[in-house]
Amino acid sequence: MLLSEPCSDLKQGHISKSSSSQAYLGTSISLNDMKPGDIIIWGNGGVPNHTAIYVGNGNMIHAANPRKGVILSNVLTWQTYGQSILSVRTL
């Protein structure tokens, strides 16, 4: 299991499919305070368009695209694709 204690909202199925909605869930925290299970909201031009789950050691899991599916990526490396971290949320 990747996460030692899954988020209660995830277990109960209360997570919206929309990155825009997910950007307001839980409590905002700093990038330095991320713990496994926190969500990272990515966007371009201030508009949320992608969500990932932080798994620790600088890595996140996310649905990259239909061809690649869900993958493990380094958080900082992924910023090179023109995306910015708009918010980090703990649930």
Side-chain angles (χ1 to χ4, degrees):
M1 181 175 204
L2 287 175
L3 306 176
S4 59
E5 292 183 31
C7 304
S8 62
D9 281 343
L10 287 172
K11 288 194 297 188
Q12 296 175 20
H14 298 293
I15 303 292
S16 165
K17 294 190 306 184
S18 160
S19 298
S20 297
S21 296
Q22 293 168 355
Y24 300 100
L25 292 174
T27 304
S28 179
I29 60 171
S30 74
L31 193 62
N32 293 333
D33 292 332
M34 283 192 303
K35 292 183 174 65
D38 293 338
I39 59 173
I40 306 166
I41 308 298
W42 294 88
N44 192 332
V47 178
N49 61 21
H50 194 73
T51 301
I53 301 172
Y54 185 68
V55 295
N57 296 323
N59 294 307
M60 62 183 189
I61 56 172
H62 62 112
N65 58 48
R67 183 177 54 84
K68 288 186 177 181
V70 176
I71 62 171
L72 179 71
S73 298
N74 180 279
V75 173
L76 298 179
T77 301
W78 208 68
Q79 287 180 301
T80 62
Y81 294 106
Q83 298 285 317
S84 299
I85 295 174
L86 301 181
S87 181
V88 178
R89 315 292 296 184
T90 190
L91 303 178

Coordinates of all heavy atoms in Angstrom, one line a residue:
M1 N 0.8 -1.2 0.0 CA 0.0 0.0 0.0 C 0.9 1.2 0.0 O 1.8 1.3 0.8 CB -0.9 0.0 1.2 CG -1.8 1.1 1.4 SD -2.9 0.8 2.8 CE -4.3 1.8 2.3
L2 N 0.6 2.2 -0.9 CA 1.4 3.4 -1.0 C 1.3 4.3 0.2 O 2.2 4.9 0.7 CB 1.1 4.1 -2.2 CG 1.6 3.5 -3.5 CD1 1.0 4.3 -4.7 CD2 3.1 3.5 -3.6
L3 N 0.0 4.5 0.7 CA -0.3 5.4 1.7 C -0.5 4.6 3.0 O -1.3 3.7 3.0 CB -1.5 6.3 1.4 CG -1.4 7.0 0.1 CD1 -2.7 7.7 -0.2 CD2 -0.2 8.0 0.1
S4 N 0.1 5.0 4.1 CA -0.1 4.3 5.4 C -1.5 4.5 5.9 O -2.0 3.6 6.5 CB 1.0 4.7 6.4 OG 0.9 6.1 6.6
E5 N -2.1 5.7 5.8 CA -3.4 5.9 6.2 C -4.2 6.7 5.2 O -4.0 7.9 5.1 CB -3.4 6.7 7.5 CG -2.9 6.0 8.7 CD -2.9 6.8 10.0 OE1 -3.8 7.6 10.1 OE2 -2.1 6.6 10.8
P6 N -5.0 6.1 4.4 CA -5.7 6.8 3.3 C -6.6 7.9 3.9 O -7.1 7.8 5.0 CB -6.6 5.7 2.7 CG -5.9 4.4 3.0 CD -5.3 4.7 4.4
C7 N -6.8 9.0 3.2 CA -7.6 10.1 3.6 C -9.0 9.6 3.8 O -9.5 8.9 3.0 CB -7.6 11.2 2.6 SG -5.9 11.8 2.1
S8 N -9.6 10.1 4.9 CA -11.0 9.7 5.1 C -11.9 10.1 4.0 O -12.9 9.4 3.7 CB -11.5 10.3 6.5 OG -11.5 11.7 6.4
D9 N -11.7 11.3 3.4 CA -12.6 11.7 2.3 C -12.4 10.8 1.1 O -13.4 10.5 0.4 CB -12.2 13.1 1.8 CG -12.8 14.2 2.7 OD1 -13.7 13.9 3.5 OD2 -12.4 15.4 2.6
L10 N -11.2 10.3 0.9 CA -11.0 9.3 -0.2 C -11.8 8.0 0.0 O -12.4 7.4 -0.8 CB -9.5 9.0 -0.5 CG -8.7 10.2 -1.1 CD1 -7.2 9.8 -1.0 CD2 -9.2 10.4 -2.5
K11 N -11.7 7.5 1.3 CA -12.3 6.3 1.6 C -13.8 6.4 1.5 O -14.5 5.4 1.2 CB -12.0 5.9 3.1 CG -10.5 5.4 3.2 CD -10.3 4.7 4.5 CE -10.5 5.6 5.7 NZ -10.1 5.0 7.0
Q12 N -14.4 7.6 1.8 CA -15.8 7.7 1.8 C -16.3 8.2 0.4 O -17.5 8.3 0.2 CB -16.2 8.8 2.8 CG -15.9 8.3 4.2 CD -16.2 9.4 5.3 OE1 -17.0 10.3 5.0 NE2 -15.6 9.3 6.4
G13 N -15.4 8.4 -0.5 CA -15.8 8.7 -1.9 C -16.4 10.2 -2.1 O -17.2 10.4 -2.9
H14 N -15.8 11.1 -1.3 CA -16.3 12.5 -1.3 C -15.4 13.4 -2.2 O -15.4 14.6 -2.0 CB -16.4 13.0 0.1 CG -17.4 12.3 0.9 ND1 -18.7 12.4 0.7 CD2 -17.2 11.6 2.0 CE1 -19.4 11.7 1.6 NE2 -18.5 11.2 2.4
I15 N -14.6 12.9 -3.1 CA -13.8 13.7 -3.9 C -14.4 13.9 -5.2 O -14.7 13.0 -6.0 CB -12.4 13.0 -4.1 CG1 -11.7 12.7 -2.7 CG2 -11.5 13.8 -4.9 CD1 -11.3 13.9 -1.9
S16 N -14.5 15.2 -5.6 CA -15.0 15.5 -6.9 C -14.1 15.1 -8.0 O -12.9 15.0 -7.8 CB -15.2 17.0 -6.9 OG -15.4 17.5 -8.2
K17 N -14.6 14.9 -9.2 CA -13.7 14.6 -10.4 C -13.0 15.8 -10.9 O -12.1 15.7 -11.7 CB -14.6 13.9 -11.5 CG -15.2 12.6 -11.1 CD -15.8 11.9 -12.4 CE -16.8 12.8 -13.0 NZ -17.5 12.1 -14.2
S18 N -13.5 17.0 -10.6 CA -13.0 18.2 -11.2 C -11.8 18.8 -10.4 O -11.9 19.0 -9.2 CB -14.1 19.2 -11.2 OG -13.7 20.5 -11.3
S19 N -10.7 19.1 -11.1 CA -9.6 19.7 -10.4 C -10.0 21.1 -9.8 O -9.5 21.5 -8.8 CB -8.4 20.0 -11.4 OG -8.0 18.8 -11.9
S20 N -10.9 21.8 -10.5 CA -11.3 23.1 -10.0 C -12.0 22.9 -8.7 O -11.8 23.8 -7.8 CB -12.3 23.7 -11.0 OG -11.7 23.9 -12.2
S21 N -12.8 21.9 -8.5 CA -13.5 21.7 -7.2 C -12.5 21.2 -6.2 O -12.5 21.5 -5.0 CB -14.6 20.6 -7.4 OG -15.6 21.1 -8.2
Q22 N -11.6 20.3 -6.6 CA -10.6 19.7 -5.7 C -9.7 20.8 -5.1 O -9.1 20.6 -4.0 CB -9.8 18.6 -6.4 CG -10.6 17.4 -6.7 CD -9.9 16.5 -7.6 OE1 -8.8 16.8 -8.1 NE2 -10.5 15.4 -7.9
A23 N -9.5 21.9 -5.8 CA -8.6 23.0 -5.4 C -9.1 23.6 -4.1 O -8.3 24.4 -3.5 CB -8.5 24.0 -6.5
Y24 N -10.3 23.4 -3.7 CA -10.9 24.0 -2.5 C -11.2 23.0 -1.4 O -11.7 23.4 -0.3 CB -12.1 24.8 -2.8 CG -11.8 25.8 -3.8 CD1 -12.1 25.7 -5.2 CD2 -11.2 27.0 -3.5 CE1 -11.8 26.6 -6.1 CE2 -10.9 28.0 -4.4 CZ -11.2 27.8 -5.7 OH -10.9 28.7 -6.6
L25 N -10.8 21.7 -1.5 CA -11.1 20.7 -0.5 C -10.1 20.8 0.6 O -8.9 21.3 0.4 CB -10.9 19.3 -1.1 CG -12.0 18.9 -2.1 CD1 -11.6 17.5 -2.7 CD2 -13.3 18.8 -1.5
G26 N -10.4 20.4 1.8 CA -9.5 20.3 2.9 C -8.9 21.6 3.3 O -9.5 22.7 3.2
T27 N -7.7 21.6 3.7 CA -6.9 22.8 4.2 C -5.7 23.0 3.3 O -5.0 22.0 3.0 CB -6.5 22.5 5.6 OG1 -7.6 22.2 6.4 CG2 -5.8 23.7 6.2
S28 N -5.5 24.2 2.9 CA -4.3 24.6 2.2 C -3.0 24.4 3.0 O -3.0 24.9 4.2 CB -4.4 26.0 1.6 OG -3.3 26.4 0.9
I29 N -2.0 23.8 2.5 CA -0.7 23.7 3.2 C 0.4 24.1 2.2 O 0.2 24.2 1.0 CB -0.5 22.3 3.7 CG1 -0.4 21.3 2.6 CG2 -1.5 22.0 4.8 CD1 0.0 19.9 3.0
S30 N 1.6 24.3 2.8 CA 2.7 24.7 1.9 C 3.3 23.4 1.3 O 3.2 22.3 1.8 CB 3.8 25.4 2.7 OG 4.5 24.5 3.6
L31 N 4.1 23.6 0.2 CA 4.7 22.5 -0.5 C 5.7 21.8 0.5 O 5.8 20.6 0.5 CB 5.5 23.1 -1.7 CG 6.0 22.2 -2.7 CD1 4.9 21.4 -3.4 CD2 6.8 22.9 -3.8
N32 N 6.3 22.6 1.4 CA 7.3 22.0 2.3 C 6.6 21.1 3.4 O 7.3 20.3 4.0 CB 8.1 23.1 3.0 CG 9.0 23.8 2.0 OD1 9.4 23.2 1.1 ND2 9.3 25.0 2.3
D33 N 5.3 21.3 3.6 CA 4.6 20.6 4.6 C 3.8 19.3 4.1 O 3.1 18.7 4.8 CB 3.6 21.5 5.3 CG 4.3 22.5 6.2 OD1 5.4 22.3 6.7 OD2 3.7 23.6 6.4
M34 N 4.0 19.0 2.8 CA 3.3 17.9 2.2 C 3.7 16.6 2.9 O 4.8 16.3 3.2 CB 3.7 17.7 0.7 CG 3.0 18.7 -0.2 SD 3.2 18.2 -1.9 CE 4.9 18.2 -2.1
K35 N 2.6 15.8 3.1 CA 2.8 14.4 3.6 C 2.0 13.5 2.6 O 1.1 13.9 1.9 CB 2.2 14.3 5.0 CG 2.9 15.1 6.0 CD 2.3 14.9 7.4 CE 3.1 15.6 8.5 NZ 3.1 17.0 8.4
P36 N 2.4 12.2 2.6 CA 1.7 11.2 1.8 C 0.2 11.3 1.9 O -0.3 11.4 3.1 CB 2.3 9.9 2.2 CG 3.7 10.2 2.6 CD 3.5 11.6 3.4
G37 N -0.5 11.4 0.8 CA -2.0 11.5 0.9 C -2.5 12.8 0.6 O -3.7 13.0 0.2
D38 N -1.6 13.9 0.7 CA -2.0 15.2 0.3 C -2.2 15.3 -1.2 O -1.6 14.6 -1.9 CB -1.0 16.3 0.8 CG -0.9 16.3 2.3 OD1 -1.9 15.9 3.0 OD2 0.1 16.8 2.9
I39 N -3.1 16.3 -1.6 CA -3.3 16.4 -3.0 C -2.6 17.7 -3.5 O -2.5 18.7 -2.8 CB -4.8 16.4 -3.4 CG1 -5.6 17.5 -2.8 CG2 -5.4 15.0 -3.2 CD1 -7.0 17.6 -3.2
I40 N -2.1 17.6 -4.8 CA -1.4 18.7 -5.4 C -2.2 19.1 -6.6 O -2.6 18.3 -7.4 CB 0.0 18.3 -5.9 CG1 0.8 17.7 -4.8 CG2 0.7 19.5 -6.6 CD1 2.1 17.0 -5.3
I41 N -2.6 20.4 -6.6 CA -3.4 20.9 -7.7 C -2.5 21.7 -8.7 O -1.8 22.6 -8.3 CB -4.5 21.9 -7.2 CG1 -5.4 21.2 -6.1 CG2 -5.4 22.4 -8.3 CD1 -6.1 20.0 -6.4
W42 N -2.5 21.2 -9.9 CA -1.7 21.8 -10.9 C -2.5 22.7 -11.9 O -3.7 22.5 -12.0 CB -1.0 20.7 -11.8 CG 0.0 19.9 -11.0 CD1 -0.3 18.8 -10.3 CD2 1.4 20.1 -10.9 NE1 0.9 18.3 -9.7 CE2 1.9 19.1 -10.1 CE3 2.2 21.1 -11.4 CZ2 3.2 19.0 -9.8 CZ3 3.6 21.0 -11.1 CH2 4.1 20.0 -10.3
G43 N -1.9 23.6 -12.5 CA -2.7 24.5 -13.4 C -1.8 25.3 -14.3 O -0.5 25.3 -14.2
N44 N -2.4 26.0 -15.2 CA -1.7 26.8 -16.2 C -2.5 28.2 -16.2 O -3.7 28.2 -16.4 CB -1.8 26.2 -17.6 CG -0.8 26.8 -18.5 OD1 -0.5 28.0 -18.4 ND2 -0.4 26.1 -19.5
G45 N -1.8 29.3 -16.0 CA -2.5 30.6 -16.0 C -3.4 30.7 -14.8 O -4.4 31.5 -14.9
G46 N -3.1 30.0 -13.7 CA -4.0 30.1 -12.5 C -5.2 29.3 -12.6 O -6.1 29.4 -11.7
V47 N -5.4 28.5 -13.6 CA -6.6 27.7 -13.8 C -6.3 26.2 -13.5 O -5.5 25.7 -14.2 CB -7.2 27.8 -15.2 CG1 -8.4 26.9 -15.4 CG2 -7.6 29.3 -15.5
P48 N -6.9 25.6 -12.5 CA -6.7 24.2 -12.1 C -7.0 23.3 -13.3 O -8.1 23.5 -13.9 CB -7.6 24.0 -10.9 CG -7.9 25.3 -10.4 CD -7.9 26.2 -11.5
N49 N -6.1 22.4 -13.6 CA -6.4 21.4 -14.7 C -5.9 20.0 -14.4 O -6.0 19.1 -15.3 CB -5.9 21.9 -16.0 CG -4.4 22.1 -16.1 OD1 -3.7 21.6 -15.3 ND2 -3.9 22.9 -17.0
H50 N -5.3 19.8 -13.3 CA -4.7 18.4 -13.0 C -4.5 18.3 -11.5 O -4.2 19.2 -10.8 CB -3.4 18.3 -13.7 CG -2.9 16.9 -13.8 ND1 -3.4 16.0 -14.7 CD2 -1.8 16.3 -13.2 CE1 -2.7 14.8 -14.5 NE2 -1.8 15.0 -13.6
T51 N -4.8 17.1 -11.0 CA -4.6 16.8 -9.6 C -3.7 15.5 -9.5 O -3.8 14.6 -10.2 CB -6.0 16.5 -8.9 OG1 -6.8 17.7 -9.1 CG2 -5.8 16.2 -7.4
A52 N -2.9 15.6 -8.5 CA -2.0 14.4 -8.2 C -2.1 14.1 -6.7 O -2.5 15.0 -5.9 CB -0.6 14.7 -8.6
I53 N -1.7 12.9 -6.3 CA -1.6 12.6 -4.9 C -0.1 12.4 -4.5 O 0.6 11.7 -5.1 CB -2.4 11.3 -4.6 CG1 -3.8 11.4 -5.0 CG2 -2.2 10.9 -3.1 CD1 -4.6 10.1 -4.9
Y54 N 0.3 13.1 -3.5 CA 1.7 13.1 -3.0 C 1.9 11.7 -2.3 O 1.1 11.3 -1.5 CB 2.0 14.2 -2.1 CG 3.4 14.3 -1.7 CD1 4.4 14.6 -2.6 CD2 3.8 14.0 -0.4 CE1 5.8 14.6 -2.2 CE2 5.1 14.1 0.0 CZ 6.1 14.4 -0.9 OH 7.4 14.4 -0.6
V55 N 3.0 11.0 -2.6 CA 3.2 9.7 -2.0 C 4.5 9.7 -1.2 O 4.9 8.7 -0.7 CB 3.3 8.6 -3.1 CG1 1.9 8.4 -3.7 CG2 4.3 8.8 -4.1
G56 N 5.2 10.8 -1.1 CA 6.4 10.9 -0.3 C 7.7 10.9 -1.2 O 7.6 10.6 -2.4
N57 N 8.8 11.3 -0.5 CA 10.1 11.3 -1.2 C 10.1 12.1 -2.5 O 10.8 11.8 -3.4 CB 10.6 9.9 -1.5 CG 10.8 9.1 -0.2 OD1 11.3 9.6 0.8 ND2 10.5 7.8 -0.2
G58 N 9.3 13.2 -2.5 CA 9.3 14.1 -3.7 C 8.5 13.5 -4.9 O 8.6 14.1 -6.0
N59 N 7.7 12.5 -4.7 CA 7.0 11.8 -5.8 C 5.5 12.0 -5.6 O 5.0 12.1 -4.5 CB 7.4 10.4 -5.9 CG 8.8 10.2 -6.3 OD1 9.3 10.7 -7.2 ND2 9.5 9.4 -5.5
M60 N 4.8 11.8 -6.7 CA 3.3 11.9 -6.8 C 2.8 10.8 -7.7 O 3.6 10.4 -8.6 CB 2.9 13.3 -7.2 CG 3.3 13.6 -8.6 SD 2.8 15.3 -9.0 CE 3.2 15.3 -10.8
I61 N 1.6 10.4 -7.5 CA 0.9 9.6 -8.5 C -0.2 10.4 -9.2 O -0.8 11.2 -8.5 CB 0.4 8.2 -7.9 CG1 -0.6 8.5 -6.8 CG2 1.5 7.3 -7.5 CD1 -1.3 7.3 -6.3
H62 N -0.4 10.2 -10.5 CA -1.4 10.9 -11.2 C -1.7 10.3 -12.5 O -0.9 9.4 -13.0 CB -0.9 12.4 -11.4 CG 0.3 12.5 -12.3 ND1 0.3 13.0 -13.5 CD2 1.6 12.1 -12.0 CE1 1.6 13.0 -14.0 NE2 2.4 12.4 -13.1
A63 N -2.8 10.6 -13.1 CA -3.2 10.1 -14.4 C -2.6 11.0 -15.4 O -3.1 12.1 -15.7 CB -4.7 10.0 -14.5
A64 N -1.5 10.6 -16.0 CA -0.7 11.4 -16.9 C -1.5 11.7 -18.2 O -1.7 12.9 -18.6 CB 0.6 10.7 -17.3
N65 N -2.0 10.7 -18.8 CA -2.8 10.8 -20.1 C -3.4 9.5 -20.4 O -3.0 8.5 -19.7 CB -2.0 11.4 -21.2 CG -0.8 10.5 -21.5 OD1 -0.9 9.3 -21.7 ND2 0.4 11.2 -21.7
P66 N -4.3 9.4 -21.3 CA -4.9 8.1 -21.6 C -4.0 7.0 -22.0 O -4.1 5.8 -21.7 CB -5.9 8.4 -22.7 CG -6.3 9.8 -22.6 CD -5.0 10.5 -22.1
R67 N -2.9 7.4 -22.7 CA -1.9 6.4 -23.2 C -1.1 5.8 -22.0 O -0.8 4.6 -21.9 CB -1.0 7.0 -24.3 CG 0.0 6.0 -24.9 CD 0.8 6.7 -26.0 NE 1.4 7.9 -25.7 CZ 2.6 8.0 -25.0 NH1 3.3 6.9 -24.7 NH2 3.2 9.1 -24.8
K68 N -0.6 6.7 -21.2 CA 0.3 6.3 -20.1 C -0.5 5.8 -18.8 O 0.1 5.1 -18.1 CB 1.2 7.5 -19.7 CG 2.3 7.8 -20.7 CD 3.2 8.8 -20.1 CE 4.4 9.1 -21.1 NZ 5.3 10.1 -20.5
G69 N -1.7 6.3 -18.6 CA -2.4 6.0 -17.5 C -1.9 6.6 -16.2 O -1.3 7.7 -16.2
V70 N -2.1 5.9 -15.1 CA -1.6 6.4 -13.8 C -0.1 6.1 -13.6 O 0.3 4.9 -13.8 CB -2.4 5.8 -12.6 CG1 -1.9 6.2 -11.3 CG2 -3.9 6.2 -12.8
I71 N 0.7 7.1 -13.3 CA 2.1 6.9 -13.2 C 2.7 7.6 -12.0 O 2.0 8.4 -11.4 CB 2.9 7.5 -14.5 CG1 2.7 9.0 -14.6 CG2 2.4 6.7 -15.7 CD1 3.5 9.6 -15.7
L72 N 3.9 7.2 -11.6 CA 4.6 7.9 -10.6 C 5.6 8.9 -11.2 O 6.3 8.6 -12.1 CB 5.5 6.8 -9.8 CG 6.3 7.3 -8.7 CD1 5.5 7.7 -7.5 CD2 7.3 6.2 -8.2
S73 N 5.5 10.1 -10.7 CA 6.4 11.2 -11.2 C 7.0 12.0 -10.1 O 6.4 12.1 -9.0 CB 5.6 12.2 -12.0 OG 5.0 11.6 -13.2
N74 N 8.2 12.6 -10.3 CA 8.8 13.5 -9.4 C 8.0 14.8 -9.5 O 7.8 15.3 -10.5 CB 10.3 13.7 -9.7 CG 10.9 14.6 -8.7 OD1 10.8 15.8 -8.9 ND2 11.6 14.1 -7.7
V75 N 7.7 15.4 -8.3 CA 6.9 16.6 -8.3 C 7.6 17.8 -9.0 O 7.1 18.4 -9.8 CB 6.6 17.0 -6.8 CG1 5.9 18.4 -6.8 CG2 5.7 16.0 -6.2
L76 N 8.9 18.0 -8.7 CA 9.6 19.1 -9.2 C 9.9 18.9 -10.7 O 9.9 19.9 -11.5 CB 10.9 19.4 -8.4 CG 10.6 19.7 -7.0 CD1 12.0 19.9 -6.3 CD2 9.8 20.9 -6.8
T77 N 10.2 17.7 -11.1 CA 10.4 17.5 -12.6 C 9.2 17.8 -13.4 O 9.3 18.3 -14.5 CB 10.9 16.0 -12.8 OG1 12.1 15.8 -12.0 CG2 11.2 15.7 -14.2
W78 N 8.0 17.4 -12.9 CA 6.8 17.6 -13.6 C 6.5 19.1 -13.9 O 5.8 19.4 -14.9 CB 5.6 17.0 -12.9 CG 4.6 16.5 -13.9 CD1 4.7 15.5 -14.8 CD2 3.3 17.1 -14.0 NE1 3.5 15.4 -15.4 CE2 2.6 16.3 -15.0 CE3 2.6 18.1 -13.4 CZ2 1.3 16.6 -15.4 CZ3 1.3 18.4 -13.8 CH2 0.7 17.6 -14.8
Q79 N 7.1 20.0 -13.2 CA 6.9 21.4 -13.4 C 7.5 21.8 -14.7 O 7.1 22.9 -15.3 CB 7.5 22.2 -12.3 CG 6.7 22.2 -11.0 CD 7.3 23.0 -9.9 OE1 8.4 22.8 -9.5 NE2 6.5 23.9 -9.4
T80 N 8.4 21.1 -15.3 CA 9.0 21.4 -16.6 C 8.1 21.3 -17.7 O 8.4 21.7 -18.8 CB 10.3 20.6 -16.8 OG1 9.9 19.2 -16.9 CG2 11.3 20.7 -15.7
Y81 N 6.9 20.7 -17.5 CA 5.9 20.6 -18.6 C 5.0 21.8 -18.7 O 3.9 21.7 -19.4 CB 5.1 19.3 -18.4 CG 5.9 18.0 -18.5 CD1 6.2 17.3 -17.4 CD2 6.3 17.6 -19.7 CE1 7.0 16.2 -17.4 CE2 7.1 16.4 -19.8 CZ 7.4 15.7 -18.7 OH 8.1 14.6 -18.8
G82 N 5.4 22.9 -18.2 CA 4.6 24.1 -18.3 C 3.5 24.3 -17.3 O 2.6 25.2 -17.4
Q83 N 3.4 23.4 -16.3 CA 2.4 23.5 -15.3 C 3.0 24.1 -14.0 O 4.2 24.0 -13.8 CB 1.9 22.1 -14.9 CG 1.2 21.4 -16.1 CD -0.1 21.9 -16.4 OE1 -0.9 22.1 -15.5 NE2 -0.4 22.1 -17.6
S84 N 2.1 24.7 -13.2 CA 2.5 25.3 -11.9 C 1.7 24.7 -10.8 O 0.5 24.3 -11.1 CB 2.2 26.8 -11.9 OG 3.0 27.5 -12.9
I85 N 2.3 24.5 -9.7 CA 1.5 24.1 -8.5 C 0.7 25.3 -8.0 O 1.2 26.3 -7.7 CB 2.4 23.6 -7.4 CG1 3.2 22.3 -7.9 CG2 1.6 23.3 -6.1 CD1 4.2 21.8 -6.9
L86 N -0.7 25.1 -8.1 CA -1.6 26.2 -7.7 C -1.9 26.0 -6.2 O -2.2 27.0 -5.5 CB -2.9 26.1 -8.5 CG -2.7 26.3 -10.0 CD1 -4.1 26.3 -10.7 CD2 -1.9 27.6 -10.3
S87 N -2.0 24.8 -5.7 CA -2.4 24.6 -4.3 C -1.9 23.2 -3.9 O -1.9 22.3 -4.7 CB -3.9 24.7 -4.2 OG -4.4 24.5 -2.9
V88 N -1.6 23.0 -2.6 CA -1.4 21.8 -2.0 C -2.4 21.7 -0.9 O -2.6 22.6 -0.1 CB 0.0 21.6 -1.4 CG1 0.2 20.3 -0.8 CG2 1.0 21.8 -2.6
R89 N -3.2 20.6 -0.8 CA -4.3 20.5 0.1 C -4.1 19.2 1.0 O -3.8 18.1 0.5 CB -5.6 20.4 -0.6 CG -5.9 21.3 -1.7 CD -6.0 22.8 -1.3 NE -7.1 23.0 -0.5 CZ -7.5 24.2 -0.1 NH1 -6.7 25.3 -0.4 NH2 -8.5 24.4 0.7
T90 N -4.4 19.3 2.2 CA -4.5 18.1 3.1 C -6.0 17.9 3.4 O -6.7 18.9 3.6 CB -3.6 18.3 4.4 OG1 -3.5 17.0 5.0 CG2 -4.1 19.4 5.3
L91 N -6.4 16.7 3.4 CA -7.8 16.4 3.6 C -8.1 15.8 5.0 O -7.2 15.2 5.6 CB -8.3 15.3 2.6 CG -8.1 15.8 1.1 CD1 -8.5 14.6 0.2 CD2 -8.8 17.0 0.8

